[in-house]
Amino acid sequence: MDTAAFGARMRDLLTGHALTTLIGIGHRTGLFDAAAAQGPATSSELADRAGLDERYVREWLGAMTTGGLFELADDGRFVLPESHAVFLAGARASNIGPSAGLLQRLDAVSPQVERCLVDGGGVPYAAYAALGPMGEHWRHIYDDHLVSGFLGAVDGLDARLRAGARVLDLGCGSGHAANLMGREYPRSEITGLDLAPEAIAQAEAERAAMGLSNVAFVVADAADLAPEPAHDVITAFDAVHDQQDPAGVLRRIRAALAPGGVFVMVDVNSTGSIADDLGDPNAAVLYAISLLFCVPTSLAAGGTGLGAMWGREAALAMLADAGFDDVEVLPAPRPQNVVYVGRI
Ligand SMILES: C[S@@+](CC[C@H](N)C(=O)[O-])C[C@H]1O[C@@H](n2cnc3c(N)ncnc32)[C@H](O)[C@@H]1O
């Protein structure tokens, strides 16, 4: 890339950052949903629809339209084309609004991470929890893909869950996956386990609102997972690489499976090598999330700082060390993830 082209790319990066911030604002204030649901609008019409201040909405539309997210119709109205709304509106996994919000929250913690670069150490999970729930993007991913995508990819698992199984969701966060499993598989007993009390409180509130009697949540450290009661199915969605001692937790998981049990580990799809990740369009954002969240939270807890980009080879080696000898690696319904299936 020559100097001029690289300069243009740097300008585009700044534009992307600014637009990401404004996408987060548009997502949370309902501007995209208002534009998608009711069609082309002037700034006043869109502000009225969303119940917002027109002066600010006009400036937001200025950035959105010159940035290419909205289009300007001949009558001066602002249009969010359906092909754009797929990525900006609606409670669906393709909506990047929640991910924009996540990046904004990580920005808020970046001064603390910056200090870690100088002094070492980490940033405790509580610093992130104080900014509010971070898992909205995963909620939509679970709504769209949990049953048919992640679980459906595993041979025989859907039938087993429908027949009734004892399931543990380890590192369940705010519990949406566990609650969806409880609703979809009423004969199964689901336990969600997480270290974070505020996440478990949200999980329990959602369970109660969904009226589920086959789901329970516990605040516990996965490092203390006991072999009894044994589980038929253990799931870990985006949770193993964040553990203080991932290898130890995998051994605990292996020991907590009943004979014939299955472990489904959904984790980040990476190679473990920066050189091999070069062509992956998702890699830079995933490394950034790893830097701003996964590594500092692990190091703050005295962990290994494994990071999200540990890669398939390291994951398979750690699974093998834990006693999962013959692990299947399946594609996930989204390219950022991969599904590891260990059976005993
Ligand atoms: C990236 S979040 C994923 C949460 C959830 N599975 C989801 O997809 O929304 C990782 C979760 O692992 C939990 N966690 C980290 N270390 C843990 C430990 N030692 N024991 C239990 N949970 C832990 C964190 O509290 C956090 O909720």
Side-chain angles (χ1 to χ4, degrees), residues 224-248:
D224 299 329
L225 182 66
E228 296 292 338
H231 292 86
D232 304 307
V233 179
I234 299 181
T235 54
F237 295 101
D238 200 29
V240 169
H241 65 257
D242 283 334
Q243 298 296 312
Q244 183 184 352
D245 175 16

Side-chain angles (χ1 to χ4, degrees), residues 146 151 157 161 167-172 177 181 190-191 233-237 239 253 262-266:
L146 177 69
L151 302 176
L157 183 58
L161 291 167
V167 182
L168 175 69
D169 185 27
L170 183 135
C172 66
M181 284 193 272
I190 323 287
T191 302
V233 179
I234 299 181
T235 54
F237 295 101
I253 288 171
V262 57
F263 173 44
V264 181
M265 178 173 99
V266 173

Side-chain angles (χ1 to χ4, degrees), residues 250 254 263 265 310 312-325 327-328 340-342:
L250 289 177
R254 172 72 176 70
F263 173 44
M265 178 173 99
W310 56 321
R312 283 184 288 278
E313 203 179 311
L316 288 170
M318 215 180 271
L319 284 161
D321 283 349
F324 292 106
D325 300 323
V327 172
E328 254 182 296
Y340 300 93
V341 184

Side-chain angles (χ1 to χ4, degrees), residues 125 138 142 171-173 193-196 220-222 237-239 242-243:
Y125 185 78
W138 269 97
Y142 292 138
C172 66
L193 176 157
D194 202 283
L195 198 53
D221 189 337
F237 295 101
D238 200 29
D242 283 334
Q243 298 296 312

Side-chain angles (χ1 to χ4, degrees), residues 119-135:
D119 298 335
V123 182
Y125 185 78
Y128 300 84
L131 299 170
M134 291 173 60

